[in-house]
């Protein structure tokens, strides 16, 4: 029993250790992982499979149909028919009954139907082909959105991780300031209020560190959810925030035509419009006659005792053409055609909205991208300057030339500038994503 419990405990420990192993991912690996495991994204792949199946279904409408049928009947009670016949002797009509049918009867045959001309079926085939293409475009759009969402979540997790590092350094600096002030206070070279301020600054720095650490946990949970990781799985980021940003040369005016050609949502709405036109054509084609070929071969067996005797079976076969001409349907097709025309009109309006959105996104993302790059460079220079000020103030404070308030001010300015830099870097990365998305380059 003890041996069994030991084995169970060891297996559980191994499983727990395996479950806690973090998934190490770079940004591009995270995107690939999400494309393979994110449940919502997988539905777009399923939609493509459904569209392919529908295309095969519509194609089958123009494939000959062959059906076999067999019918066996045991006539438990045969019908009777009453007839009057003149009696040749008396000349009076007499009623006589005649039994109808036989005890057993059966039929067996094969029906063949061959579509010759069916414009509705032809339109269905064209429509299903466009539907398959639309599903591919929707999957492409979902891929773009997935890249944006994963990148945003990944950058946020990196940003919060870097904030923790900055917060830890801030704690170390305020801890040193507190220790130095404590020594000065003990040597009666600092007053109580200086020591209290040093303690408060250290306490606030530790609080900010705790907040940053909690933000990292939340950001990684968000990233895990976007990636489609299992509930207990952990993710470890192997990329880092870029230390040196090389801003590309931005154009003075966006390339509107190039962006419209690249944007998948515009192509998807154009496909929607084409499908609406095909549906309208299908309605109009219902006025066109349909022509089908058909054929039959089969037989009927009848007997009171044994149907399996081939002499009791009578065979027949035929072929033919059936032309169906629509004459009047109560104006149903007119109503359907009007509906489809309105659907096409909606697609035209949607295309205009999408084009306006693309133009707006190109202009705004270009401005935001340029401003984010400029702000990032400025704040990066401010960080270097703030670091120099802190070094200078600490040297002067150690030589009793600067006041403790100057040390506090310098440390606070450095901390705020570092956090502003991280925020500016995050804003820059997001603006870069928006610029690429606006140009259809994701």
């Amino acid at each position: 029993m003890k041996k069994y419990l030991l084995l169970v405990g060891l297996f559980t420990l191994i499983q727990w250790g395996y479950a806690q192993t973090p998934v190490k991912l770079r940004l591009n690996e995270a995107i690939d992982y999400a494309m393979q495991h994110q449940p919502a994204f997988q539905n777009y792949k399923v939609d493509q499979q459904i569209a392919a199946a529908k295309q095969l279904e519509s194609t089958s409408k123009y494939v000959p149909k062959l059906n076999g049928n067999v019918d066996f009947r045991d006539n438990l009670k045969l019908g009777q028919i009453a007839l009057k016949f003149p009696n040749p002797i008396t000349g009076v009509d007499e009623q006589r009954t005649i039994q109808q049918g036989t005890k057993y009867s059966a039929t067996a045959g094969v029906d063949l139907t061959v579509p010759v001309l069916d414009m509705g079926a032809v339109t269905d085939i064209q429509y299903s082909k466009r539907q398959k293409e639309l599903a591919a475009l929707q999957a492409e759009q979902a891929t773009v959105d997935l890249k944006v969402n994963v990148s945003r979540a990944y950058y946020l997790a990196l940003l919060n991780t870097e904030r923790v590092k900055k917060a830890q350094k801030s704690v170390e600096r305020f801890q040193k300031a507190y220790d130095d002030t404590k020594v000065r206070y003990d040597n009666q070279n600092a007053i109580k209020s200086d020591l209290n301020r040093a303690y408060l600054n250290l306490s606030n720095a530790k609080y900010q560190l705790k907040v940053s650490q909690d933000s990292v946990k939340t950001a990684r949970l968000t990233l895990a959810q976007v990636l489609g990781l299992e509930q207990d799985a952990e993710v470890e980021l192997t990329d880092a925030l870029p230390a040196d940003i090389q801003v590309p040369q931005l154009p003075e005016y966006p390339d509107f035509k190039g962006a419209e050609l690249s944007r998948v949502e515009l192509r998807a709405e154009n496909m929607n419009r084409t499908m609406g036109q095909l549906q309208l054509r299908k309605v109009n084609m219902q006025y066109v006659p349909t022509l089908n070929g058909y054929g039959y071969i089969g037989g009927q067996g009848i007997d009171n005792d044994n149907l399996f005797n081939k002499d009791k079976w009578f065979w027949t076969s035929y072929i033919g053409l059936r032309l169906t001409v629509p004459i009047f349907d109560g104006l149903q097709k007119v109503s359907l055609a009007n509906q489809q025309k309105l659907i096409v009109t909606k697609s035209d309006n949607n295309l205009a909205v999408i084009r306006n959105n693309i133009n707006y996104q190109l202009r705004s993302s270009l401005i935001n991208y340029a401003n984010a790059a400029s702000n990032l460079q400025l704040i990066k220079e401010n960080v270097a300057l703030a670091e120099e000020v802190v070094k200078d103030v600490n040297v002067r404070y150690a030589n009793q030339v600067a006041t403790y308030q100057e040390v506090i001010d310098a440390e606070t300015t450095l901390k705020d500038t570092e956090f502003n830099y991280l925020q500016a870097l995050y804003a820059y990365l997001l603006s870069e994503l928006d610029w690429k998305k606006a140009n259809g380059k994701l």
Side-chain angles (χ1 to χ4, degrees):
M1 183 66 180
K2 290 183 179 179
K3 183 177 180 181
Y4 173 76
L5 292 175
L6 180 62
L7 289 174
V8 171
L10 181 60
F11 177 77
T12 304
L13 182 62
I14 292 173
Q15 288 294 101
W16 180 85
Y18 176 78
Q20 296 299 317
T21 302
V23 180
K24 298 182 179 181
L25 296 172
R26 299 175 65 88
L27 176 56
N28 58 339
E29 294 170 343
I31 293 174
D32 292 339
Y33 186 94
M35 292 178 66
Q36 297 298 324
H37 298 88
Q38 220 282 341
F41 183 78
Q42 302 311 307
N43 283 339
Y44 289 96
K45 296 182 180 180
V46 175
D47 287 340
Q48 287 183 281
Q49 296 172 355
I50 293 174
K54 287 184 176 180
Q55 184 180 15
L56 180 60
E57 176 192 358
S58 63
T59 304
S60 66
K61 293 182 179 180
Y62 241 109
V63 176
K65 307 298 186 298
L66 187 65
N67 295 306
N69 60 80
V70 176
D71 178 78
F72 171 79
R73 182 178 299 179
D74 182 351
N75 298 300
L76 301 177
K77 182 68 175 176
L78 294 175
Q80 303 286 329
I81 183 171
L83 298 175
K84 290 185 177 181
F85 295 94
N87 190 317
I89 298 175
T90 62
V92 179
D93 290 343
E94 297 180 355
Q95 181 172 300
R96 297 182 183 182
T97 59
I98 300 175
Q99 179 177 282
Q100 288 183 305
T102 58
K103 170 68 173 172
Y104 301 106
S105 63
T107 58
V110 177
D111 284 299
L112 175 66
T113 303
V114 182
V116 179
L117 177 63
D118 189 343
M119 296 308 299
V122 172
T123 307
D124 282 340
I125 294 173
Q126 296 173 341
Y127 182 87
S128 63
K129 181 180 179 181
R130 299 298 182 272
Q131 195 172 34
K132 182 179 178 182
E133 295 173 359
L134 177 61
L137 290 173
Q138 290 172 338
E140 185 178 344
Q141 178 62 52
T143 302
V144 172
D145 294 336
L146 185 69
K147 288 180 179 180
V148 172
N149 293 335
V150 172
S151 298
R152 284 175 175 268
Y154 197 95
Y155 288 150
L156 183 59
L158 288 178
L159 173 70
N160 288 333
T161 302
E162 195 64 28
R163 279 177 174 171
V164 170
K165 296 178 182 178
K166 299 297 184 183
Q168 287 172 338
K169 290 182 179 179
S170 181
V171 169
E172 292 173 1
R173 291 196 299 267
F174 280 113
Q175 181 69 55
K176 183 179 183 304
Y178 174 78
D179 293 340
D180 292 344
T181 305
K182 183 68 168 58
V183 171
R184 287 174 175 273
Y185 176 76
D186 293 340
N187 295 331
Q188 298 182 351
N189 292 325
I191 60 177
K192 183 66 173 178
S193 60
D194 288 342
L195 183 62
N196 290 338
R197 284 199 300 270
Y199 176 79
L200 288 174
N201 289 330
L202 176 59
S203 179
N204 288 334
K206 290 181 178 179
Y207 172 75
Q208 291 297 329
L209 175 60
K210 178 65 169 58
V211 171
S212 298
Q213 290 170 338
D214 291 341
S215 297
V216 168
K217 295 177 182 178
T218 303
R220 291 192 176 184
L221 284 174
T222 301
L223 178 60
Q225 190 271 336
V226 173
L227 295 179
L229 286 172
E230 297 180 359
Q231 293 181 354
D232 297 332
E234 295 182 3
V235 60
E236 181 177 325
L237 314 183
T238 55
D239 269 342
L241 288 173
D244 188 20
I245 297 295
Q246 298 294 332
V247 181
Q249 185 69 32
L250 298 177
E252 184 177 359
Y253 298 102
D255 181 11
F256 297 108
K257 291 184 178 180
E260 288 182 354
L261 292 174
S262 301
R263 291 289 289 268
V264 63
E265 58 264 49
L266 190 62
R267 288 182 280 139
E269 190 56 43
N270 271 317
M271 188 60 66
N272 270 325
R273 187 181 187 280
T274 300
M275 291 170 64
Q277 290 175 323
L278 285 173
Q279 287 293 80
L280 175 60
R281 181 185 178 191
K282 178 181 177 181
V283 173
N284 292 330
M285 285 300 174
Q286 290 178 9
Y287 290 103
V288 178
T290 58
L291 182 65
N292 292 294
Y294 61 90
Y296 175 80
I297 181 171
Q300 181 180 28
I302 50 177
D303 193 63
N304 286 315
D305 299 316
N306 182 14
L307 281 177
F308 297 100
N309 189 336
K310 66 179 182 178
D311 294 333
K312 305 300 181 180
W313 281 82
F314 305 92
W315 298 92
T316 183
S317 63
Y318 57 81
I319 59 173
L321 288 174
R322 181 180 295 111
L323 181 68
T324 303
V325 181
I327 298 176
F328 182 71
D329 63 352
L331 302 180
Q332 181 184 25
K333 288 190 283 291
V334 173
S335 176
L336 291 174
N338 289 335
Q339 294 177 43
Q340 288 302 321
K341 289 177 182 178
L342 293 174
I343 290 175
V344 173
T345 300
K346 285 182 62 177
S347 291
D348 290 334
N349 294 335
N350 290 338
L351 287 171
V353 171
I354 292 173
R355 287 192 174 92
N356 288 336
N357 288 340
I358 290 175
N359 292 341
Y360 169 77
Q361 291 168 8
L362 282 171
R363 293 179 185 275
S364 61
S365 63
L366 177 60
I367 294 172
N368 293 337
Y369 194 17
N371 289 341
S374 176
N375 293 339
L376 180 62
Q377 186 62 34
L378 176 62
I379 297 177
K380 184 177 182 181
E381 295 173 358
N382 290 345
V383 170
L385 182 59
E387 290 173 347
E388 289 291 333
V389 171
V390 168
K391 291 179 182 178
D392 178 68
V393 169
N394 282 328
V395 170
R396 291 192 295 113
Y397 181 70
N399 294 325
Q400 299 183 358
V401 177
T403 64
Y404 182 67
Q405 186 61 46
E406 291 180 275
V407 175
I408 295 175
D409 292 342
E411 291 286 352
T412 302
T413 300
L414 176 59
K415 180 187 70 174
D416 292 343
T417 307
E418 287 177 335
F419 276 84
N420 288 341
Y421 173 75
L422 291 178
Q423 196 63 39
L425 179 57
Y426 182 61
Y428 170 81
L429 294 174
L430 295 188
S431 66
E432 184 180 40
L433 275 177
D434 292 339
W435 169 247
K436 290 181 178 178
K437 182 180 178 181
N439 284 273
K441 295 182 179 179
L442 280 179

